[in-house]
Amino acid sequence: MNNDKMCKDLRVQKNLLAFEGVVRNCNLFATLGGKEIMVNANKRDSLWIECQVSLYLGFTIRGLVAFGIRTKNTKQGPLKSCASCGGVMDSSWTATTPDWRTEHGILTYMLQSEAGQFKCSVSGLRWVCKKKVTFTYQFRSWEEHRQKLNLVHCKPGGPLMDITVIDGELDEVYLPHWICIDGFPQVSDKFAVLHKGQSGNLMCRLIVSDLASSHVRLFQPSFPTNGVLVTYGFPVKAHCNVLIYRTNQKQLTLHIYVILWDPQRRQEVEQMEKARKSKMIQKPNPQKSLDTEASFILTTDADAAEISLVHGPPKFFKVFIKNANSDFKLTLGDEENHVVWTCEISKDEVSPWLLGFVKDMLTKRGMKVEQNPVKALARFYYIEIKDYNKAERWAKEAKKKNSFVADTLGQVYKNQLKNKEISLKPRDILQLATKAIQSFKDEERLAENEYGADMAEDGKTKVSNIFNIRGQFGYLQPDLRKDDAPYISREVSECYKKYVGDSPPKHLKEKCDDVLQKLKEKLSVTSAGVLSCLDRKYTEADLQEITTWWKEIYSIKDTETSLTDYIYAHIMLKNIYSSDAKSPTAFRQITPPSPQNAPELNMLALLLKWPIVSEDKCVFDLSQSIQHMYSSYEHTYKTHFRSRYLRPLFFIGKGQNLDRIVHRRVLENLFPADLNSYWDSEKIFQDPMIQKRLLQIEGW
């Protein structure tokens, strides 16, 4: 799960300890024990600008991963410019991306900052605060205020927002506007601000003392409703966006919108086109401001093109091109035939439409969308048509040095065996079963050899980013269903239980075999199994049993492996159920990380020996230990996990010994079911409960 949003949640931040760090040469360094330690970043896009940061550290079997990376004193350049008025939003304020949630179809954005001056990357809103502040805003429609605006002879000049301060105070707010003020040195008297007074009534502030090319400045603003107005009679030119969408229709069809620089209107267009399954084509906006009262004409040099105006709302140009076999140009002109915007669209930008249409035809009955059309055709025959001879022919045609494509042939044989409507003789069943098993074995062999190598498919070079397990489960688990979960279906657990059985093998006579059998039945006989207990939502009784069994095994075998699993089981129990059980003192016997140790053992050693505060010296070399941890992971799991995202298992908290090891589930249990959104933008680490629980470190 490639996500970071949870770290921004205040409840999560309260539980975690924050560390300091620095971004240098696109690498992240944390200051630990007076030394700089390079760590991985969950979100690589946080490492483009050299700056000081704060972060939270997550522990995976691969190594340390930084979450909730927050920039300190980061400056960014202009977001866009206007050739008419010289610049729009061109000051070097700290850019901040808001978190958001949707309630009853309304988007609410939340921003949080320390003291300083900041700007929102979505709305363009700027603010100045002398201490930490948290506030939300929502976009509102101007339509409900049209009558009031007519009374004061004003019209909208920027987005309308409801702003609510949750914590702290905003000393200054800069409301964005889309009006171009080029050629008007004294225009502040032409602007006004709509806001809600203390009585709750909407009021217009007709005197604006501080006006810039992109914002209107408010001192100690009153909230919540605020928006920039411009008076009637002012010859308005505005900064505009041109949005281009390629629709999902059979013939090439483009929807082209010319809208004000209005985040709310842009959202409406994006949501509407997303519902149509359209794809956006990114092109530059007009370099100069446009007359808001003018009409525009769209033309193209494409052959056999048809252009029409759809009156919406909102209005847009519809461009239909029957044969887009070459590059073409779009040009927007005003009523006097002046070109105000133009762009060139290459055939490569619109040609993927045809492939999408073919895929849709081949997969319209719920089949998986395939990049390999021949493979898709084979699946179509064996899943929908039940013509297994043709399916086998196309599957053999598609079979190349790619295990994911080779899987299709085994699936053809397996599905034919599962089809109860077909009467097969015993010899035919045996023959099909043999073919299926051999096909899955070939697939498994290809999967093992794919690591690090390029795979050619459909004339394009691809890299195997994940390990293909379908060959292994193809013959071990022949009753997989089409609607199973995409990673590993539920039947895997049942398959495992049947394989394990309900009693130890008769030829095993060791003293702890009965206990090991019980752990197998609980899927906790390995370190990975113990670490997954909380994800399986085991009860307190289950965790107590698992901890007791591993303690018994450790007392008999006294190995580092049994000690590791015993300590992990104890940590699981304490994290969720705050067990009063005495912590095992044997954890002090854990050796420092080594490339020869198991990744789980190395991770435990690092957790146990981690300095209590950033200034403390570690009992062993942290940099070397982290490198050993990564080398151990590479040797043990890299072939199977490859570039798969590893969700952090633990964080460092503010307690002592085992009590300061915080499992990820402790944080996730504070949030609703949709955890992906919290991890995506690290929202979880903004929560004060999480911040209080976890340890924050410093870095450079």
Side-chain angles (χ1 to χ4, degrees):
M1 180 174 56
N2 186 11
N3 19 47
D4 221 41
K5 188 175 183 180
M6 189 177 294
C7 301
K8 294 183 179 180
D9 193 283
L10 299 178
R11 290 174 297 175
V12 173
Q13 291 180 6
K14 187 176 180 180
N15 282 270
L16 301 185
L17 185 63
F19 295 81
E20 297 296 321
V22 68
V23 175
R24 187 187 304 119
N25 297 326
C26 294
N27 290 314
L28 177 62
F29 299 87
T31 302
L32 305 170
K35 296 182 179 180
E36 287 188 6
I37 307 297
M38 189 169 72
V39 297
N40 292 321
N42 181 50
K43 297 183 71 174
R44 291 294 304 174
D45 56 2
S46 305
L47 306 182
W48 291 112
I49 301 175
E50 295 193 356
C51 56
Q52 294 181 354
V53 296
S54 64
L55 53 101
Y56 300 97
L57 279 181
F59 287 70
T60 72
I61 57 175
R62 182 189 293 165
L64 301 182
V65 181
F67 291 82
I69 302 173
R70 296 175 64 91
T71 303
K72 294 186 173 182
N73 300 322
T74 299
K75 303 294 183 182
Q76 294 188 359
L79 295 179
K80 66 175 185 176
S81 63
C82 172
S84 299
C85 62
V88 175
M89 296 167 49
D90 54 353
S91 63
S92 55
W93 293 49
T94 301
T96 304
T97 301
D99 299 317
W100 57 271
R101 66 177 186 273
T102 302
E103 293 181 2
H104 308 296
I106 299 176
L107 277 171
T108 300
Y109 297 89
M110 185 178 76
L111 289 155
Q112 183 183 70
S113 71
E114 302 293 337
Q117 53 184 31
F118 304 86
K119 62 182 177 182
C120 175
S121 61
V122 173
S123 64
L125 179 73
R126 298 177 187 172
W127 68 96
V128 176
C129 54
K130 297 178 181 178
K131 58 182 180 180
K132 186 175 181 179
V133 66
T134 303
F135 65 96
T136 63
Y137 71 84
Q138 298 175 341
F139 290 116
R140 295 299 188 187
S141 173
W142 283 105
E143 292 301 321
E144 58 183 293
H145 307 302
R146 288 291 181 183
Q147 185 176 0
K148 177 177 285 293
L149 297 186
N150 290 334
L151 293 176
V152 295
H153 306 288
C154 290
K155 54 186 174 182
L160 181 63
M161 293 180 285
D162 272 1
I163 305 172
T164 303
V165 177
I166 299 175
D167 184 40
E169 183 176 321
L170 293 172
D171 297 280
E172 299 176 19
V173 166
Y174 293 72
L175 297 177
H177 68 77
W178 52 66
I179 306 301
C180 179
I181 59 176
D182 175 50
F184 299 95
Q186 299 294 331
V187 293
S188 59
D189 60 331
K190 305 298 183 183
F191 282 74
V193 173
L194 182 73
H195 69 99
K196 184 177 291 187
Q198 294 182 352
S199 63
N201 296 323
L202 290 175
M203 305 170 60
C204 289
R205 182 186 299 176
L206 298 178
I207 299 178
V208 173
S209 58
D210 197 339
L211 172 68
S213 61
S214 59
H215 289 78
V216 170
R217 183 182 186 184
L218 301 179
F219 293 95
Q220 296 181 341
S222 60
F223 294 119
T225 304
N226 278 286
V228 177
L229 303 172
V230 63
T231 60
Y232 284 158
F234 181 63
V236 175
K237 284 192 173 183
H239 306 114
C240 296
N241 291 333
V242 176
L243 308 178
I244 306 174
Y245 289 89
R246 184 188 71 242
T247 68
N248 196 31
Q249 297 180 13
K250 183 177 181 180
Q251 299 291 340
L252 175 60
T253 305
L254 302 177
H255 290 173
I256 301 173
Y257 298 82
V258 182
I259 62 173
L260 293 168
W261 185 85
D262 184 350
Q264 181 196 21
R265 180 56 58 90
R266 185 185 182 105
Q267 279 184 1
E268 293 174 353
V269 172
E270 289 175 347
Q271 291 174 2
M272 182 170 56
E273 290 296 338
K274 183 179 180 180
R276 294 170 175 163
K277 298 183 179 180
S278 302
K279 300 296 181 182
M280 189 176 188
I281 300 176
Q282 296 280 359
K283 293 296 176 182
N285 290 314
Q287 294 184 358
K288 294 186 177 182
S289 55
L290 305 182
D291 186 349
T292 59
E293 303 296 333
S295 298
F296 299 98
I297 302 172
L298 184 71
T299 59
T300 180
D301 60 358
D303 295 333
E306 299 178 9
I307 301 178
S308 58
L309 180 63
V310 180
H311 290 278
K315 292 182 180 180
F316 63 90
F317 294 101
K318 183 177 181 180
V319 181
F320 172 79
I321 302 176
K322 188 173 184 180
N323 296 309
N325 298 322
S326 60
D327 300 348
F328 59 93
K329 182 182 292 185
L330 295 171
T331 302
L332 189 69
D334 60 19
E335 296 168 313
E336 299 179 357
N337 294 324
H338 295 145
V339 175
V340 298
W341 172 84
T342 186
C343 79
E344 186 164 320
I345 297 181
S346 68
K347 62 180 180 180
D348 295 333
E349 291 179 286
V350 295
S351 59
W353 153 84
L354 181 60
L355 179 59
F357 177 72
V358 174
K359 289 178 181 177
D360 182 65
M361 290 299 294
L362 289 174
T363 62
K364 63 183 179 180
R365 298 187 184 182
M367 297 169 60
K368 180 182 177 182
V369 174
E370 299 292 351
Q371 294 294 330
N372 188 319
V374 181
K375 178 182 176 182
L377 191 58
R379 298 183 73 248
F380 181 74
Y381 274 119
Y382 81 73
I383 293 177
E384 302 294 335
I385 307 301
K386 309 299 183 186
D387 188 332
Y388 297 106
N389 291 329
K390 289 184 179 180
E392 181 182 12
R393 179 166 64 88
W394 285 111
K396 288 180 177 179
E397 181 71 20
K399 186 177 180 181
K400 298 179 181 180
K401 293 182 179 181
N402 180 329
S403 65
F404 293 92
V405 177
D407 175 71
T408 308
L409 185 59
Q411 298 295 335
V412 171
Y413 298 134
K414 190 175 77 171
N415 276 265
Q416 189 172 357
L417 285 169
K418 290 168 58 178
N419 192 342
K420 297 180 180 180
E421 298 178 0
I422 299 178
S423 177
L424 295 173
K425 296 179 180 180
R427 179 177 295 180
D428 296 331
I429 294 174
L430 181 60
Q431 186 179 23
L432 282 173
T434 302
K435 287 182 177 180
I437 292 174
Q438 186 59 48
S439 296
F440 289 127
K441 286 184 176 180
D442 291 342
E443 178 186 356
E444 186 178 354
R445 175 182 53 80
L446 285 173
E448 291 285 351
N449 296 330
E450 278 172 351
Y451 174 64
D454 291 342
M455 300 186 299
E457 181 182 341
D458 305 333
K460 297 181 180 179
T461 300
K462 295 188 175 182
V463 178
S464 176
N465 293 322
I466 60 175
F467 181 74
N468 182 12
I469 62 170
R470 293 295 297 270
Q472 296 174 340
F473 284 103
Y475 54 87
L476 285 177
Q477 189 182 9
D479 194 27
L480 289 171
R481 290 192 284 272
K482 184 170 63 176
D483 58 350
D484 282 340
Y487 174 46
I488 298 179
S489 56
R490 298 189 201 96
E491 284 83 357
V492 174
S493 178
E494 296 300 322
C495 176
Y496 175 84
K497 291 178 181 178
K498 291 177 181 178
Y499 174 77
V500 168
D502 55 6
S503 60
K506 295 180 179 179
H507 64 279
L508 295 179
K509 302 297 182 181
E510 292 187 23
K511 185 176 180 181
C512 59
D513 285 340
D514 288 337
V515 178
L516 287 172
Q517 177 63 29
K518 295 175 182 178
L519 287 168
K520 287 180 181 180
E521 294 174 14
K522 289 287 187 181
L523 306 178
S524 302
V525 75
T526 63
S527 298
V530 175
L531 292 170
S532 301
C533 284
L534 300 191
D535 290 316
R536 298 192 190 102
K537 299 181 180 180
Y538 280 178
T539 64
E540 182 176 7
D542 291 330
L543 291 173
Q544 286 177 339
E545 284 184 332
I546 292 171
T547 304
T548 301
W549 292 334
W550 273 116
K551 181 179 181 180
E552 182 178 344
I553 292 174
Y554 170 63
S555 65
I556 297 173
K557 291 193 171 184
D558 192 18
T559 63
E560 276 199 325
T561 299
S562 59
L563 175 59
T564 298
D565 293 335
Y566 168 39
I567 296 175
Y568 273 140
H570 186 85
I571 292 173
M572 299 294 107
L573 182 62
K574 289 183 71 67
N575 262 260
I576 295 299
Y577 297 104
S578 301
S579 173
D580 295 329
K582 185 178 180 181
S583 298
T585 57
F587 71 82
R588 296 184 178 87
Q589 302 174 18
I590 294 294
T591 59
S594 166
Q596 289 74 39
N597 290 345
E600 293 83 2
L601 175 57
N602 284 337
M603 179 174 65
L604 181 61
L606 205 59
L607 286 166
L608 295 176
K609 304 298 183 181
W610 194 264
I612 296 178
V613 295
S614 298
E615 292 75 16
D616 287 352
K617 292 185 178 180
C618 188
V619 296
F620 47 75
D621 190 321
L622 277 177
S623 296
Q624 186 181 55
S625 297
I626 293 172
Q627 185 58 46
H628 288 339
M629 189 176 180
Y630 183 76
S631 299
S632 173
Y633 165 83
E634 291 275 303
H635 175 73
T636 308
Y637 291 123
K638 188 62 180 287
T639 299
H640 299 91
F641 284 171
R642 303 185 184 181
S643 61
R644 176 172 292 162
Y645 177 79
L646 298 183
R647 196 184 309 181
L649 291 166
F650 298 103
F651 291 91
I652 292 292
K654 299 179 181 179
Q656 298 291 328
N657 297 328
L658 300 186
D659 292 329
R660 67 174 181 159
I661 302 175
V662 182
H663 194 275
R664 165 181 43 80
R665 271 293 175 187
V666 175
L667 310 182
E668 292 179 340
N669 287 342
L670 299 172
F671 297 91
D674 183 19
L675 293 171
N676 287 343
S677 60
Y678 284 90
W679 283 106
D680 279 337
S681 62
E682 298 189 348
K683 182 178 180 181
I684 186 173
F685 293 110
Q686 291 183 353
D687 192 284
M689 292 178 60
I690 303 301
Q691 292 177 348
K692 185 177 180 180
R693 180 72 182 271
L694 298 190
L695 185 69
Q696 193 173 40
I697 63 173
E698 297 182 356
W700 296 92

